[in-house]
Amino acid sequence: MKKEFKVTPYEATGEIDYSKLIKEFGVSELNDKLLERIKKHTKELHLFLRRKVFFAHRDMNWLLDEYEKGNKFFLYTGRASSKGSKVHLGHLIPWIMCKWLQDKFQAEMWFQFPDEEKFLYKPDVTLEDTEKATYEDMLDIIALGFNPDKTHFLIDTKHANLMYKEACKVAKKITFSTVKASFGFNDSNNIGSIFYTSMQAVPAFLPSVLKGRNIPCLIPLGVDQDPHFRISRDVMPKLGYYKPAILHNVFLPPLQGIGGKMAASAEETAIFTTDSPKQVEEKIKKHAFSGGQATIELQRKKGGNPDIDVSYQYLRMFFEPDDKKLKKIYQDYKSGKMLTSELKEILIEKINKFLAEHQKRRELAKKQVDKFIFKG
Amino acid sequence: MKKEFKVTPYEATGEIDYSKLIKEFGVSELNDKLLERIKKHTKELHLFLRRKVFFAHRDMNWLLDEYEKGNKFFLYTGRASSKGSKVHLGHLIPWIMCKWLQDKFQAEMWFQFPDEEKFLYKPDVTLEDTEKATYEDMLDIIALGFNPDKTHFLIDTKHANLMYKEACKVAKKITFSTVKASFGFNDSNNIGSIFYTSMQAVPAFLPSVLKGRNIPCLIPLGVDQDPHFRISRDVMPKLGYYKPAILHNVFLPPLQGIGGKMAASAEETAIFTTDSPKQVEEKIKKHAFSGGQATIELQRKKGGNPDIDVSYQYLRMFFEPDDKKLKKIYQDYKSGKMLTSELKEILIEKINKFLAEHQKRRELAKKQVDKFIFKG
C-alpha cells in the first residue's frame, strides 16, 4: 500500500498518487484526445505533454474553443523566491512549458515574482533576501528564451500600484473560512499570509484590466499551487473575468527516489541550474536512486527497473526528447544490456550539456532583465 | 445610569463615557500640566485643546521630550472615504488640529486616504465610489489651509508601490487572533478587511523609511480609530521605529443630542461642509437639541441648560474661540436672559460664516490637488 501523501502550496510529502490527486483536487486528466487537439495547433507535442509530465488540467477544452474562435489567451505562471533559494531542474518544467506554448501560440507571457510570499510565510526570511533571490531567478527564466517583447515580469512589491487594488477586489470575495479550509490556516497565521492568495490571483486577470477586455488565461504550474487557483477560479467570474485554464505538472522527483518533489532545501538531492559539471556528476553518481541490481553480474542477468530508476525518469521527463532513443534505453536497461553506470553517464552528459547552454544564456540574461520588467 | 456604549473603528453608539473610555483603551488624560507644556512651544492653545475637545493622548510627553532635543515630529491622520460620503463638521476636528500643529511646530503632514477600506468593509461600496469621494474629501482638507510644501497625500491604491511592501512587514507581526480581538472579526470576514489594519499603520513610519532615519510621529484622530494604533504601536518597535504618539478627540455630537457621534449616514442631523446657509439654518432650527425650556416664559424664568444644549456645545467645541464671549453666552442662557432661538441664531451665523469661507477655499482647492499628492 502507498504511504500517505500531502500536497499543498506549503508542503509536498510522501509518495504522491497522481490519479488520486486528480480526484481529490477535482481536476481533469490530460488525455490523448485533448493532446491531439492541442497538436492540431502546435504541429508537434513537447515531451512534457507526450509523456504526461503535464498530467492534468482545468478548462483546456474551453481555452481551445476560445482560441479557435480567435480569442487568444495569455500565459501566467510565477516563482516565489526565498532566502538564498536557487532554481533547480524541477522548477524549470512549467517555465519551459510556458516558453514552448508562447512560441506555438504566439502568446503573451506574464510572470509573477511574489517577493512577499516567502517573507510572509517564513520567520527568518527578509524582503532583502527575496529581492536578491528574485533577481537570480529572473536570470534563469530569461535564459529559457522567452520573447522579451511578449514577456512581462510582475514583482508584487514593485508593481503594487497595479496589483494591490485588484487584489483588494479579489480579497473582498474571500473569507477567512475559505483560506482556512484551502491552506490549513488557523488564527495564529499572520494577516499578510492570509491576504496573500489575493495577490497570486491578480496576474490571471490583470492583462484583461489593462487591455479593457476579457482575455482567456492559461496557467501552467506545479499541481501543489492548485489550491490558490481553486479559490481564484471561484472569484474571477464574480469580477467579470474568465476562470483561468490550468495545466498541472507532476513533480520532478528528488535524486533519492520517486516520492515527493525536488526541493531547493535539500541541496544534495537537487540539481541546480548553477551547478558545475563536476557537481552534477557527483550528485548523480552518489545520490540518483537506481533501479538496477546490486552487482554487474546480477544486472546483466536480471536487468534493472527503469520505472523506479531516477536517472531513467529524468531522461523520460526532461532530457531525452527522442522517443526512439528513450525506448531503446528503457529496453536495454530492463534487459540488463545497460548498466546503471552507463545509464547515469548518459544522463550526466545530457544534463551538463543542457546546463552549459543554460548557464551561458543565464550570464547574457544579466543585460536583459530590465527589458522584461513590466513598465506599467 | 448611563446607557451602554460602544466605540470601535466600525461603530460608535450609545452615550459615550469618555472617562470610562480612557480606562478601557488605556490612554492618558490630556491634563492641564501637559497642556501647559504644549503651550510653552505654541504660545497659545487652540480651543480644541483649551476646551478638552482633545481629551486623551498616548506618549505626548515623550514626543515633546524628543522635540525639545531637536528631534522634530511629523503629523499623520487620515480619511476613509465611502460611497457618496461627505465631510461633516465632526470630521474637521482632527484635521483642523493637524493644520494648527503644522503651523505651530513647522511639522510635515502625511494624510492617508485609504480608498480600499470602506470598499472592503461595505458590500455595496465600489472602488469607483471611494475614488470619487476621495477627491471631494481632498478639497475639504486643502481648504483648511495646509501648507502644500509640507503636506503629502497618500492614497492607498495609488501609492501601493510605497505602501504594500511596508504593510507586509507590519502584517507579518500581526496574527488573526489579534485582529479578531481588536475589531471583533470572525472567520466570515473577508481577507482584505483582515489585512487592512497593516495599511493604516504604514504612514506612521513611512517618512522614516523614506528619510532613512527614525522620526517621531504624532497622530491626531477620533478616539474610535485607537484600536488600529494599539496594534501598530505594538508592531512598530519590532520594525525598529518609534511608537507614534496620539492625540484623541471626542466626537462632535449629532444635532439631535449629546450621545454618539455626528454621522454622514444621518443626513438630517449632520452639517456638511457643502451645506448652503439655508440648509444650515433649517437643520439647526429643526434638529439641534435644545437645553432650553418649552416656552419663552419658562425660559425667562427657569433658564436653559447649556451643558446638554447642542447649539451651545457646538459653540464651545468649535465656533466661539473667545472664552469671554462663550462664558457670557453660557451665563445668559442658563439665567434665561438668552432664548433658545437667540442661541441658535448665534450658532447659525457662526457656522455659515465659517462655511462661506471654507466653500470659497474648497473651490480654489480644485486647482491645488495635484500639488498635495505625494510624488514618491
Side-chain angles (χ1 to χ4, degrees):
Chain A
M1 238 183 70
K2 297 217 174 185
K3 280 177 294 181
E4 281 288 308
F5 66 92
K6 198 170 173 183
V7 175
T8 78
Y10 307 106
E11 199 178 4
T13 51
E15 194 170 330
I16 300 157
D17 180 337
Y18 287 103
S19 340
K20 209 169 154 189
L21 213 55
I22 283 178
K23 279 183 209 143
E24 221 174 72
F25 280 16
V27 295
S28 307
E29 200 198 330
L30 194 61
N31 60 26
D32 293 336
K33 197 175 152 200
L34 182 52
L35 289 176
E36 278 310 308
R37 191 174 175 194
I38 294 171
K39 200 177 167 184
K40 256 188 17 202
H41 298 286
T42 59
K43 309 302 175 216
E44 49 167 16
L45 285 178
H46 192 277
L47 75 84
F48 290 164
L49 294 172
R50 283 195 323 269
R51 298 188 191 149
K52 309 278 172 80
V53 175
F54 282 82
F55 73 109
H57 74 99
R58 293 182 185 273
D59 283 343
M60 275 305 289
N61 278 307
W62 163 80
L63 190 86
L64 292 169
D65 288 346
E66 291 298 315
Y67 185 78
E68 287 163 12
K69 282 189 268 175
N71 198 7
K72 289 181 74 172
F73 58 87
F74 68 92
L75 293 155
Y76 159 36
T77 198
R79 159 72 172 157
S81 311
S82 190
K83 185 179 187 168
S85 70
K86 294 185 291 186
V87 167
H88 60 57
L89 297 177
H91 294 127
L92 298 181
I93 290 175
W95 307 346
I96 290 171
M97 188 81 276
C98 284
K99 146 74 180 148
W100 185 84
L101 290 163
Q102 175 172 74
D103 290 348
K104 296 294 176 187
F105 289 94
Q106 287 299 303
E108 298 276 323
M109 169 82 224
W110 290 80
F111 211 110
Q112 181 186 29
F113 297 89
D115 55 340
E116 82 283 42
E117 183 183 7
K118 301 291 180 189
F119 166 73
L120 290 169
Y121 288 91
K122 298 192 173 188
D124 64 325
V125 174
T126 68
L127 283 166
E128 291 68 39
D129 292 333
T130 63
E131 189 181 356
K132 222 183 280 182
T134 292
Y135 172 77
E136 293 296 324
D137 295 345
M138 285 177 174
L139 301 181
D140 280 303
I141 290 149
I142 294 168
L144 295 175
F146 285 100
N147 179 347
D149 298 328
K150 285 179 172 289
T151 305
H152 315 287
F153 289 176
L154 287 174
I155 308 154
D156 284 13
T157 68
K158 295 195 170 56
H159 290 89
N161 273 9
L162 283 175
M163 297 177 70
Y164 175 65
K165 182 177 173 176
E166 303 305 325
C168 284
K169 293 181 193 166
V170 176
K172 190 172 179 176
K173 307 283 187 194
I174 304 172
T175 63
F176 184 55
S177 297
T178 300
V179 295
K180 258 171 106 167
S182 299
F183 303 118
F185 288 176
N186 59 46
D187 286 8
S188 66
N189 267 84
N190 76 59
I191 61 176
S193 65
I194 292 169
F195 178 70
Y196 169 70
T197 194
S198 335
M199 288 294 282
Q200 187 152 332
V202 171
F205 65 93
L206 187 66
S208 298
V209 176
L210 296 172
K211 294 261 168 72
R213 61 186 170 85
N214 208 348
I215 312 172
C217 171
L218 171 59
I219 312 177
L221 45 61
V223 67
D224 54 331
Q225 294 297 310
D226 190 66
H228 282 296
F229 294 102
R230 281 208 291 278
I231 297 179
S232 53
R233 278 170 49 89
D234 273 353
V235 171
M236 283 173 54
K238 296 179 192 165
L239 301 178
Y241 303 110
Y242 297 129
K243 291 182 184 196
I246 306 186
L247 276 176
H248 302 87
N249 66 276
V250 303
F251 303 120
L252 190 68
L255 287 171
Q256 76 274 22
I258 297 296
K261 69 171 187 177
M262 188 175 276
S265 50
E267 286 261 342
E268 289 296 292
T269 56
I271 292 171
F272 298 102
T273 57
T274 51
D275 280 351
S276 69
K278 190 94 197 120
Q279 283 176 307
V280 170
E281 187 182 350
E282 280 174 8
K283 283 182 184 177
I284 300 286
K285 285 191 173 162
K286 191 165 167 194
H287 296 288
F289 181 80
S290 165
Q293 303 295 339
T295 65
I296 294 181
E297 290 69 36
L298 275 173
Q299 174 74 6
R300 293 282 185 224
K301 196 169 149 196
K302 295 186 157 182
N305 180 359
D307 295 322
I308 61 164
D309 187 284
V310 166
S311 301
Y312 174 79
Q313 292 303 325
Y314 282 17
L315 289 172
R316 180 184 71 79
M317 292 173 71
F318 203 132
F319 291 102
E320 182 46 79
D322 187 319
D323 291 347
K324 279 183 198 147
K325 283 189 189 162
L326 185 73
K327 198 175 174 190
K328 188 160 177 355
I329 293 169
Y330 187 91
Q331 288 165 339
D332 288 354
Y333 193 61
K334 206 172 170 80
S335 70
K337 194 172 162 192
M338 183 179 282
L339 300 176
T340 294
S341 59
E342 291 165 333
L343 178 60
K344 287 193 171 184
E345 276 307 333
I346 295 172
L347 179 66
I348 290 164
E349 196 187 323
K350 289 268 183 190
I351 293 180
N352 279 335
K353 200 177 151 198
F354 172 84
L355 287 186
E357 177 66 16
H358 184 81
Q359 288 166 7
K360 208 168 67 191
R361 298 168 68 114
R362 198 178 183 283
E363 202 51 39
L364 294 171
K366 290 178 182 171
K367 289 188 181 146
Q368 293 178 276
V369 172
D370 193 56
K371 263 201 283 184
F372 281 87
I373 293 172
F374 183 63
K375 314 291 180 298
Chain B
M1 239 183 70
K2 295 216 173 185
K3 280 177 291 181
E4 279 289 308
F5 67 89
K6 199 171 172 183
V7 176
T8 77
Y10 306 107
E11 199 179 3
T13 50
E15 194 171 330
I16 300 158
D17 179 339
Y18 288 102
S19 340
K20 208 169 155 190
L21 213 56
I22 283 179
K23 280 185 206 139
E24 220 174 74
F25 279 16
V27 295
S28 307
E29 200 198 328
L30 194 61
N31 60 26
D32 294 336
K33 199 176 150 198
L34 181 53
L35 289 176
E36 276 311 307
R37 192 173 174 194
I38 294 171
K39 200 177 167 184
K40 255 185 24 201
H41 298 286
T42 58
K43 310 302 175 217
E44 50 167 14
L45 285 178
H46 192 276
L47 77 84
F48 290 165
L49 295 172
R50 279 191 332 263
R51 297 185 191 152
K52 307 282 173 78
V53 175
F54 282 82
F55 72 110
H57 75 100
R58 292 182 186 273
D59 283 345
M60 275 304 289
N61 277 306
W62 163 80
L63 190 87
L64 292 169
D65 289 346
E66 290 298 315
Y67 184 78
E68 287 164 12
K69 283 189 268 175
N71 198 8
K72 290 180 75 174
F73 59 86
F74 67 91
L75 293 155
Y76 159 36
T77 199
R79 159 72 172 157
S81 311
S82 190
K83 185 179 189 168
S85 70
K86 293 184 290 185
V87 168
H88 58 59
L89 297 176
H91 293 128
L92 298 181
I93 290 176
W95 308 344
I96 290 173
M97 187 82 275
C98 284
K99 146 74 178 148
W100 186 83
L101 289 164
Q102 174 172 75
D103 289 347
K104 295 296 175 185
F105 290 93
Q106 286 300 304
E108 297 276 323
M109 170 84 224
W110 290 79
F111 212 109
Q112 181 186 30
F113 297 89
D115 54 340
E116 82 283 43
E117 184 182 8
K118 301 291 181 190
F119 166 73
L120 289 169
Y121 287 90
K122 299 191 172 186
D124 64 327
V125 174
T126 69
L127 283 166
E128 291 68 40
D129 293 332
T130 63
E131 189 181 356
K132 219 181 285 180
T134 292
Y135 172 77
E136 293 296 324
D137 294 346
M138 285 176 173
L139 302 181
D140 280 303
I141 291 151
I142 294 169
L144 295 176
F146 285 100
N147 178 346
D149 298 328
K150 285 180 172 286
T151 306
H152 315 288
F153 288 176
L154 287 174
I155 308 153
D156 283 13
T157 68
K158 295 197 169 58
H159 289 88
N161 273 8
L162 284 176
M163 296 179 70
Y164 176 65
K165 182 177 174 177
E166 304 305 325
C168 284
K169 294 180 193 168
V170 176
K172 191 173 179 177
K173 308 282 187 196
I174 304 173
T175 64
F176 184 54
S177 296
T178 300
V179 294
K180 259 171 105 165
S182 299
F183 302 118
F185 287 176
N186 59 45
D187 286 8
S188 68
N189 266 85
N190 77 59
I191 62 176
S193 66
I194 292 169
F195 178 70
Y196 169 71
T197 193
S198 334
M199 290 293 283
Q200 187 153 332
V202 171
F205 64 94
L206 187 66
S208 297
V209 175
L210 296 173
K211 293 262 168 70
R213 61 186 169 84
N214 208 348
I215 311 172
C217 171
L218 171 60
I219 313 177
L221 43 62
V223 67
D224 54 331
Q225 293 296 310
D226 190 67
H228 282 297
F229 294 102
R230 281 208 291 276
I231 297 179
S232 53
R233 278 171 48 90
D234 273 353
V235 171
M236 283 174 55
K238 296 178 190 165
L239 300 178
Y241 303 109
Y242 298 127
K243 292 183 182 192
I246 306 183
L247 276 176
H248 302 85
N249 67 275
V250 303
F251 303 121
L252 190 70
L255 287 171
Q256 77 274 21
I258 297 297
K261 68 172 188 178
M262 188 176 275
S265 50
E267 287 261 342
E268 288 297 291
T269 57
I271 291 170
F272 299 102
T273 57
T274 50
D275 279 352
S276 68
K278 190 98 197 117
Q279 282 174 306
V280 170
E281 187 182 349
E282 279 174 10
K283 283 182 185 178
I284 300 287
K285 285 190 173 164
K286 189 165 168 196
H287 296 288
F289 181 80
S290 165
Q293 304 296 338
T295 64
I296 295 179
E297 291 68 37
L298 274 173
Q299 175 73 6
R300 293 282 185 223
K301 196 169 146 195
K302 294 186 158 184
N305 180 359
D307 296 321
I308 60 163
D309 187 284
V310 167
S311 301
Y312 175 77
Q313 292 303 323
Y314 283 16
L315 289 172
R316 181 184 70 80
M317 292 174 70
F318 204 132
F319 291 102
E320 181 47 77
D322 187 320
D323 291 347
K324 279 182 201 151
K325 283 189 190 165
L326 186 73
K327 197 173 173 193
K328 186 160 181 351
I329 292 169
Y330 187 91
Q331 288 166 340
D332 287 354
Y333 192 60
K334 207 172 169 74
S335 70
K337 193 172 161 191
M338 183 179 280
L339 300 176
T340 294
S341 59
E342 290 165 333
L343 178 60
K344 286 192 173 185
E345 274 308 331
I346 295 172
L347 178 68
I348 290 165
E349 195 188 324
K350 289 268 182 189
I351 293 180
N352 279 335
K353 199 177 152 198
F354 172 84
L355 286 186
E357 176 66 17
H358 184 83
Q359 288 166 7
K360 206 169 66 191
R361 298 168 68 115
R362 197 179 182 283
E363 202 50 40
L364 293 171
K366 290 180 181 170
K367 289 189 180 145
Q368 293 179 275
V369 172
D370 193 56
K371 264 201 281 182
F372 281 88
I373 293 172
F374 183 62
K375 314 291 180 299

